[in-house]
Amino acid sequence: MFAILDIETTGGSPVNEKITEIAIFFHDGEKVVDEWSTLINPEKPIPYFITGLTGITNEMVADAPKFYEIAREIVERTEGHTIVGHNVQFDYSFIRSEFRRLGFDYSRKTLCTIKLSRKVFPGYRSYSLGRICKELGIEIAGRHRASGDALATARLFEMLSKNRNGSDVLALIPEPTGRFRNLNENLTVADIEILPEDCGTYYFYDEKMQLLYVGKSNNIRQRVTSHLGNSNSKRALELKQRIHSISYELTGSELIALLKESREIKELKPMFNRAQKRSFYYWGLYEGKDECGYITFRLQRISETADDPLTCYNSKKEAREALTRMVEKNWLCQKLSGLYQTDGACFHHTIRQCNGACVQAESVSVYNKRAESLLDGLKLERGNVLIIDRGREPEERSLIRIEKGMYMGYGYISVNDSYLTIDQMLESVCPALDNRDVRQILKNWLKNNTVEKMLYY
């Protein structure tokens, strides 16, 4: 027997988010024999952008049962069933996480229709539920609602079974082979191959659903594959053997993935992220003024000062090379930029590549105007701005809110909401804490990349 299910949630991470709706269609391998669904009170607010996607509001779940009130029914109804889902690891990890909070170890066999679809119907550009159902002529009544998506998954499962003559559907899930040796016995190649080749954050858990590692990538499957193929160190091998399950959250925007990764490492403190380099390994670029009023620059280890750097680098060599390029581009003085130690004129002045600010031969105002041009390219936007970029789906856009130079959070809007006001856009942003690390991420990323739009308000 199969329990074909879908859930809706308050977000993408089973560690922090909760289930808002669940639907299960019970299947005997030939047809649906029963169904069950319910809204669930997540005991936390549903973000605006999630409501925009699913249509599930806080009012709709206010009087719905809490998860602990339906947990026993889920256990009893799915006993002896294989859990089937489209990207089943997402649904299964949320359900297991909810049970873990109740002190119960929920465990079932799983089967993923993404994996099966890739095997049975090869060659499609996308295997998302919406795309593959459209390709195969399966109608989805109620997209992004649990019942609609679960029923569509059941119809897809039936087509997969017919194309495999039913009996050997389970045989499509291979055991770990090749480069994926020494995996945890509960992790299969199927779990890896269903991961998306899209941008987002990914999470490794042990058998107790304790978070081991958080990472980000423009191609989640490729990055996870590199982790699981790495046996070059004792630590890498230990991580690989302890990974019991994997989940992920698509972000669409690489910048949001970077911000999420930074925040979640700080908040959740995953065991295997602690080996990452801390900020005292980095060098920062700092500004100042000399006794004559000229703007100066210096390179310094971030750990040696409490001041916020204009930007930061992985090494002194990288920092010095970058500063040299900026000094030459803006025709600034080597001495005032900390690149040439001397009591007199800098070397560039002797070869007429410096106007002589180092010996007060150039006026402060003229020199500082060029120095401020360098600063403008490094400082985070000081006004109020919404950074609009790609979303997780074609019909979605991401938002990052900066207010008075401080990071305020991120969210998503639908491109179909063409009449959204600024206030409505701001409501879709989930608040987040500002800190030096996220400001550096924003500054460095915006300096080297473009976004769809910067909306000032």
Side-chain angles (χ1 to χ4, degrees):
M1 291 289 289
F2 303 91
I4 304 173
L5 59 77
D6 186 79
I7 63 171
E8 302 301 332
T9 69
T10 58
S13 171
V15 175
N16 301 313
E17 306 299 342
K18 304 290 288 295
I19 298 174
T20 58
E21 186 178 36
I22 185 170
I24 308 175
F25 286 82
F26 300 93
H27 205 286
D28 64 4
E30 295 182 356
K31 63 184 182 300
V32 172
V33 295
D34 195 8
E35 63 181 271
W36 176 79
S37 66
T38 181
L39 288 167
I40 300 173
N41 186 336
E43 303 181 77
K44 65 180 296 185
I46 301 173
Y48 173 83
F49 67 90
I50 294 292
T51 295
L53 181 67
T54 66
I56 300 174
T57 66
N58 290 308
E59 292 74 21
M60 289 170 62
V61 299
D63 297 323
K66 298 177 175 64
F67 188 84
Y68 74 85
E69 296 177 292
I70 61 166
R72 181 172 180 174
E73 187 166 5
I74 292 174
V75 172
E76 292 175 347
R77 282 181 172 272
T78 61
E79 184 70 36
H81 289 65
T82 296
I83 302 295
V84 180
H86 205 71
N87 183 24
V88 71
Q89 195 58 45
F90 176 85
D91 307 89
Y92 187 56
S93 63
F94 263 93
I95 294 170
R96 279 180 56 82
S97 185
E98 292 277 13
F99 275 107
R100 282 292 304 169
R101 294 186 185 106
L102 303 177
F104 182 80
D105 183 18
Y106 180 85
S107 180
R108 298 287 186 270
K109 292 181 179 180
T110 60
L111 192 61
C112 183
T113 51
I114 290 183
K115 169 62 179 174
L116 297 179
S117 297
R118 291 182 189 276
K119 290 282 187 181
V120 177
F121 304 119
Y124 288 110
R125 187 171 182 179
S126 171
Y127 288 85
S128 68
L129 184 62
R131 296 290 178 84
I132 194 64
C133 284
K134 183 177 180 180
E135 295 284 358
L136 299 176
I138 300 171
E139 182 178 351
I140 306 179
R143 183 75 172 104
H144 296 303
R145 287 298 300 269
S147 288
D149 287 353
L151 181 56
T153 303
R155 299 301 176 227
L156 175 60
F157 176 75
E158 289 169 357
M159 292 186 70
L160 292 165
S161 297
K162 289 176 182 177
N163 277 270
R164 296 292 300 185
N165 298 320
S167 60
D168 61 346
V169 171
L170 290 172
L172 286 173
I173 305 300
E175 292 302 313
T177 58
R179 65 181 301 193
F180 299 125
R181 296 187 183 94
N182 302 314
L183 295 185
N184 184 296
E185 61 182 10
N186 291 283
L187 192 67
T188 69
V189 170
D191 296 324
I192 302 161
E193 292 186 351
I194 65 172
L195 295 172
E197 296 180 294
D198 297 305
C199 181
T201 49
Y202 56 92
Y203 310 85
F204 296 157
Y205 303 92
D206 66 13
E207 70 280 359
K208 296 180 179 179
M209 287 302 291
Q210 299 299 311
L211 186 62
L212 298 172
Y213 186 85
V214 175
K216 81 90 195 169
S217 179
N218 282 321
N219 186 322
I220 291 174
R221 192 199 307 172
Q222 186 179 79
R223 182 63 58 83
V224 170
T225 297
S226 70
H227 281 290
L228 299 179
N230 181 12
S231 300
N232 295 331
S233 70
K234 182 179 179 181
R235 188 174 182 84
L237 185 59
E238 181 187 357
L239 172 62
K240 184 166 70 170
Q241 291 174 338
R242 291 184 62 177
I243 298 171
H244 184 278
S245 61
I246 302 170
S247 70
Y248 65 87
E249 183 171 353
L250 296 179
T251 60
S253 161
E254 180 186 6
L255 181 52
I256 289 179
L258 285 164
L259 295 168
K260 272 178 57 61
E261 178 191 40
S262 175
R263 185 196 74 201
E264 291 174 342
I265 289 174
K266 285 182 175 62
E267 291 180 356
L268 305 175
K269 298 179 173 60
M271 180 187 305
F272 284 85
N273 283 100
R274 294 174 189 171
Q276 289 188 338
K277 291 183 177 179
R278 307 301 209 280
S279 60
F280 58 77
Y281 289 106
Y282 294 99
W283 284 76
L285 174 63
Y286 299 86
E287 67 171 306
K289 282 191 177 181
D290 69 4
E291 63 277 5
C292 297
Y294 290 102
I295 292 175
T296 62
F297 298 100
R298 74 183 192 279
L299 296 172
Q300 187 174 354
R301 283 189 181 275
I302 291 176
S303 61
E304 295 174 352
T305 176
D307 297 336
D308 282 350
L310 297 167
T311 188
C312 59
Y313 304 93
N314 290 321
S315 67
K316 184 177 181 179
K317 180 176 182 291
E318 180 189 351
R320 189 175 179 85
E321 289 174 352
L323 179 56
T324 298
R325 289 192 297 270
M326 290 186 285
V327 165
E328 292 176 352
K329 178 182 178 181
N330 292 280
W331 204 265
L332 299 180
C333 174
Q334 287 179 310
K335 177 181 175 181
L336 296 181
S337 301
L339 295 173
Y340 191 83
Q341 303 300 317
T342 179
D343 292 331
C346 71
F347 174 72
H348 273 184
H349 183 53
T350 65
I351 59 173
R352 298 183 180 180
Q353 290 185 12
C354 168
N355 293 342
C358 43
V359 289
Q360 294 82 53
E362 182 179 19
S363 72
V364 171
S365 60
V366 171
Y367 179 85
N368 283 355
K369 187 174 182 179
R370 295 199 307 277
E372 285 167 359
S373 178
L374 185 154
L375 289 171
D376 288 343
L378 292 175
K379 289 183 176 178
L380 186 60
E381 184 64 51
R382 305 310 295 176
N384 297 342
V385 62
L386 282 171
I387 301 170
I388 302 175
D389 206 2
R390 59 175 296 191
R392 298 161 297 187
E393 298 180 350
E395 63 271 18
E396 186 178 67
R397 292 295 180 270
S398 61
L399 301 175
I400 295 174
R401 180 182 179 185
I402 297 173
E403 194 163 289
K404 297 178 180 178
M406 295 181 63
Y407 169 63
M408 305 299 290
Y410 72 90
Y412 296 92
I413 57 172
S414 170
V415 296
N416 299 319
D417 295 332
S418 55
Y419 298 105
L420 282 179
T421 65
I422 287 291
D423 286 340
Q424 288 173 319
M425 289 185 184
L426 296 179
E427 286 176 5
S428 73
V429 174
C430 293
L433 293 176
D434 177 72
N435 58 56
R436 183 166 71 180
D437 287 344
V438 300
R439 288 196 295 274
Q440 290 306 318
I441 289 170
L442 285 162
K443 283 189 286 189
N444 291 343
W445 197 90
L446 292 172
K447 180 176 67 177
N448 298 308
N449 300 273
T450 58
V451 296
E452 287 191 8
K453 189 175 183 180
M454 302 278 279
L455 181 62
Y456 297 87
Y457 64 95

